[in-house]
Amino acid sequence: MSDRRHILILGGTTEARRLAGELAEDSGLRVTTSLAGRVAQPRLPAGEVRIGGFGGPSGLARWLREQQVDALIDATHPFAGTISFNAAEAAAAARVPLLAVRRPGWEPGPGDRWYPVASLAEAAGLLPALGERAFLTTGRMGLAAFAHLEDMWFLVRSVDAPEPPAPPRMEVLLDRGPFTLDGERELLRRHRVDVLVTKDSGAAATSAKLAAAREAGIPVVVVRRPPAPEGVPTAADPAEAAEWLRRCFPDA
């Protein structure tokens, strides 16, 4: 039996990759990152990788026990949704310590014209009053919420090609961040964008669009983050997460 501590990271984010890279350098740790498998060619982190779901909280709890996981770190996207609640339930059932890495959200600054909403459906309902040419940066999974807006034109940016239902007047841009301010300025200008739609994902890799929209005086519809499980300790970045692990296992 290995005497290394087994750490499972629920990943798919920049923070998860950075954390896996840091922890994998520690010979006293075995690091496994789990990816949901929604991206065709994900950026693979250091250490071991598994792809696919667990089968709900009971399946995850079983995997934690079978693989003798010593600590679980939820470093999924702020909008990943169900997985964070599954992680909290599974960690409690398997009696495994759990930490959530929660990157800080974006905050509006002077000159921003932000319209916070609770959902993609609410964003779609607001759009016709704000513009005619929308830059949609909410990912490929939620386009159905905008499919009925036949009079609007959409620039949709995502890592993988979206599938229907989708808006009838749409141009797809396949790209992956980080994005530069100059690039976002040019994108807004070239496509004559007059409204931006985004999720409050946080992080710097995709924040340049907000600065470009501010400079251009373009309104931004911001979808607020969904609720997260209560009572789970959190870290703002991989460095804090690594420190939490050191406190959990001072002998590692």
Side-chain angles (χ1 to χ4, degrees):
M1 176 186 290
S2 172
D3 59 357
R4 295 189 300 164
R5 299 284 188 176
H6 189 188
I7 313 301
L8 175 62
I9 301 172
L10 304 178
T13 61
T14 300
E15 290 84 0
R17 287 191 298 275
R18 284 172 50 200
L19 179 60
E22 179 176 343
L23 298 183
E25 295 179 357
D26 188 332
S27 60
L29 298 176
R30 173 191 171 194
V31 181
T32 302
T33 298
S34 176
L35 303 177
R38 293 177 179 173
V39 177
Q41 294 182 319
R43 293 173 175 170
L44 298 180
E48 301 175 31
V49 178
R50 72 172 301 279
I51 296 179
F54 291 93
S58 60
L60 176 54
R62 183 169 55 253
W63 199 93
L64 295 175
R65 296 189 191 99
E66 291 175 350
Q67 298 297 318
Q68 299 181 320
V69 171
D70 295 287
L72 174 61
I73 299 180
D74 173 15
T76 55
H77 193 276
F79 284 83
T82 306
I83 184 60
S84 293
F85 287 89
N86 288 354
E89 186 175 339
R95 299 183 181 275
V96 170
L98 168 66
L99 176 76
V101 179
R102 297 278 179 256
R103 67 177 74 148
W106 292 317
E107 295 290 340
D112 281 321
R113 297 172 56 198
W114 283 18
Y115 294 81
V117 296
S119 65
L120 292 176
E122 189 177 341
L126 193 60
L127 273 186
L130 297 177
E132 298 177 347
R133 299 177 65 83
F135 183 19
L136 200 58
T137 64
T138 55
R140 66 187 178 92
M141 305 298 290
L143 292 188
F146 305 90
H148 65 286
L149 298 176
E150 299 180 353
D151 294 332
M152 292 197 66
W153 179 88
F154 290 88
L155 175 64
V156 176
R157 182 166 66 193
S158 63
V159 175
D160 293 323
E163 298 178 357
R169 302 177 62 213
M170 176 181 74
E171 180 176 334
V172 176
L173 175 62
L174 299 182
D175 204 355
R176 190 198 306 255
F179 303 106
T180 67
L181 179 55
D182 284 343
E184 301 293 63
R185 285 171 177 151
E186 173 59 20
L187 206 61
L188 298 182
R189 184 199 64 78
R190 185 169 71 251
H191 293 281
R192 296 180 287 116
V193 169
D194 58 11
V195 59
L196 169 66
V197 186
T198 186
K199 293 177 177 177
D200 181 17
S201 300
T206 58
S207 64
K209 62 191 173 189
L210 301 173
R214 180 189 312 123
E215 291 179 357
I218 292 174
V220 182
V221 180
V222 182
V223 182
R224 292 189 294 267
R225 295 181 177 186
E230 297 181 358
V232 176
T234 62
D237 54 39
E240 286 189 16
E243 178 58 31
W244 175 81
L245 272 179
R246 284 190 286 269
R247 292 197 302 270
C248 284
F249 309 117
D251 57 334

